[in-house]
Amino acid sequence: MIDLVTKQDVILKVEVEGLSQRSVATKLGISRNTVKKYIQEYRNAREKFTDLSVENFALTEAILEKPSYNTEKRAKRKLTEGMMDRLDFYIKQNVQKRTDGRRKQQMKIIDMHEALLEQGFDIGYTTVRNYVREKEKTRKEAFIRAIYEPGVVCEFDWGEVKLEIGGRLKTYQLAVFTMAYSNYRFAKLYHSQQAVCFQDAHVEFFKHLARVPVQVVYDNMRTVVKKFIGTERELSPITMSIAAFYGFQVRLCNPRKGNEKGHVERSVEVVRRKAFSLHDSFDSIEQANEHLQTKLNKLNQRTRSNKTPSVLILEEQAVMTTPMGDFDASEIMNLKVDKYSTVTVKQNHYSVPDAYVGKTVRVKNGANSIRIFDNHALLAEHTRTWGVHEWRIDLYHYLTTLGYKKGALENSQGFKQAPKQIKFIYENYYTNNQKDFIALLHFIKEKNNLSEIITLIKALEKKPFFEFSTEKLIFLSQQKPEAPARPAGNQAIIDKSLENLSDYANLLNKEKEKQIS
């Protein structure tokens, strides 16, 4: 292969050093025809250069342009007409499959090559690849820059982020909204991309803005699109319900056209990097979301077109609609209470009052909480767990059963998950008296006064002759503090008497200190 240096060497040796073309060809080990070609190109260029009206492009190219060879008319040595017919058939099949929604069943180039080999053709993979790529070559797509009106378009997308929460490394889902006009960003972390999380993200965003945009743009995620019918798409009930509640339009991107929601595509990457590239370890997901909000506030303060997103969003809010309320982002289920007085949601157990064993209750499964109802009466509410085979037990739900199964108290799941104050009271004052302890729990549950009981216990401990019992705690808790009665009579006499009593008390205390010393 002749390179640029060889070409320049030929020109120098013939034109400058005066060597013959034959000797140069022999010396450089190349064809005499090649030497003749380079010299002729150079001399033709020099003739053009003598015309002052012509730029010296030809002469420059003759020296600096690498040698090239015309391969367009070169015949294909192994790719026969029969092979090309088969490859054209496979390419046509792939086009039909894309139209029918069977994109994942297309033949790849390697599949086409293997098919040709099985049919007895002798052909290499590279030749097949080059032919198919040339056939499938299409005109490059042109993009049209859009101009957005305030308050009209909002884009949504999910992103993944790996965080260490409570010492455990786990992948979390980042829900991101971006207003197209202002580039104002909002995001929140979730455990999953489930429907309730998708809906909860919208509730939080609309609550944050206190406004609703005209249109929200999505890609073809499963929570948004129920099914494809050819090129048509059917929205999921999840999407339709929240769109109907807030009154916004849903617009879907064309398949594999992320550029149609380019604001949020970029936002996912920016928010993830700015929020969690330096700090990715937290005690809880709540703490991580607080950190995320702090970073978002800084991003929304960055100047864009001489204004910050935080300023531009005010223009959008002025023309957007106000939500009528907050959508209840939850999945409703009717579940039967098992023998442990729990309902099972996504393989996790949540307790209800023990009187409901064997009954059917209504459960609202949300992104952050599990609420359990009997008709419209709230029976229990638990923080949702995203693990597997975990139990959320409220000790108060089992007081009736513990009344006649007192020995089960200490080893029960409910006692293990009880608040620290409850465990403290039991372990310090009721270890061998489960009956009175359960009676105290009944009182605390009824009055919702655990902090008050703790205060009373601390006050009783300070008394010199400390006697502790459930009856005393209940009695003291029910007493209302009364203001001390002020003695009637001449004010001056009263004040002087109080002063004398104070002095006398101080004198007695000094005498006691002398005796002790």
Side-chain angles (χ1 to χ4, degrees), residues 232-502:
E232 297 297 320
R233 289 159 289 180
E234 181 181 336
L235 293 178
S236 68
I238 298 160
T239 309
M240 290 192 293
S241 61
I242 198 164
F245 182 88
Y246 285 108
F248 63 84
Q249 301 169 9
V250 175
R251 180 164 71 82
L252 299 175
C253 294
N254 288 311
R256 293 164 300 283
K257 293 293 181 181
N259 59 283
E260 293 182 9
K261 55 178 181 60
H263 292 84
V264 78
E265 291 281 339
R266 175 67 173 159
S267 289
V268 170
E269 187 271 329
V270 170
V271 170
R272 179 169 47 208
R273 178 163 46 82
K274 294 296 184 183
F276 302 114
S277 59
L278 290 177
H279 190 184
D280 59 3
S281 179
F282 305 92
D283 294 331
S284 64
I285 192 171
E286 290 78 17
Q287 186 186 63
N289 269 317
E290 289 175 6
H291 169 78
L292 173 61
Q293 190 58 52
T294 301
K295 293 297 182 180
L296 286 169
N297 291 339
K298 291 183 178 179
L299 281 175
N300 289 327
Q301 292 295 334
R302 291 189 172 184
T303 303
R304 178 176 179 263
S305 302
N306 298 322
K307 291 183 180 180
T308 65
S310 293
V311 172
L312 291 171
I313 193 64
L314 298 178
E315 298 178 27
E316 301 207 77
Q317 287 174 312
V319 296
M320 292 189 333
T321 59
T322 303
M324 297 178 61
D326 293 336
F327 183 81
D328 188 358
S330 60
E331 179 186 5
I332 300 176
M333 301 175 287
N334 292 317
L335 299 176
K336 189 174 182 178
V337 180
D338 61 23
K339 65 179 181 181
Y340 297 108
S341 195
T342 66
V343 292
T344 304
V345 181
K346 306 293 184 184
Q347 301 184 63
N348 294 307
H349 294 260
Y350 301 90
S351 68
V352 298
D354 50 12
Y356 285 85
V357 171
K359 296 181 180 179
T360 298
V361 293
R362 174 160 289 195
V363 178
K364 284 192 173 184
N365 170 30
N368 304 303
S369 66
I370 300 292
R371 290 169 294 161
I372 306 167
F373 296 84
D374 178 18
N375 291 325
H376 297 290
L378 180 64
L379 299 178
E381 184 170 4
H382 299 273
T383 300
R384 179 168 181 174
T385 177
W386 289 90
V388 179
H389 304 303
E390 294 185 2
W391 295 67
R392 287 289 182 266
I393 303 296
D394 186 342
L395 182 62
Y396 294 129
H397 291 162
Y398 297 86
L399 295 183
T400 301
T401 301
L402 288 172
Y404 55 86
K405 293 184 179 181
K406 302 177 183 62
L409 175 65
E410 290 188 37
N411 295 320
S412 67
Q413 187 87 26
F415 183 73
K416 302 295 183 185
Q417 295 183 10
K420 292 181 180 179
Q421 299 95 322
I422 293 289
K423 294 180 184 177
F424 172 81
I425 295 173
Y426 177 78
E427 291 168 356
N428 287 274
Y429 307 112
Y430 287 96
T431 305
N432 297 314
N433 191 2
Q434 290 89 351
K435 180 180 178 181
D436 284 354
F437 179 66
I438 293 168
L440 178 64
L441 291 181
H442 275 288
F443 179 71
I444 293 173
K445 178 186 177 183
E446 179 185 350
K447 302 296 183 181
N448 192 25
N449 61 348
L450 177 59
S451 59
E452 181 185 350
I453 294 297
I454 294 294
T455 303
L456 285 173
I457 290 173
K458 290 180 178 179
L460 287 172
E461 284 181 334
K462 295 179 181 179
K463 294 187 178 295
F465 300 101
F466 171 52
E467 290 185 8
F468 184 88
S469 68
T470 298
E471 290 79 6
K472 182 177 287 189
L473 286 174
I474 294 175
F475 175 77
L476 293 174
S477 176
Q478 292 175 334
Q479 301 306 302
K480 293 183 179 180
E482 296 181 358
R486 189 172 184 83
N490 186 282
Q491 186 62 45
I493 297 173
I494 293 171
D495 291 341
K496 187 61 178 176
S497 299
L498 291 174
E499 182 182 345
N500 291 338
L501 287 172
S502 177

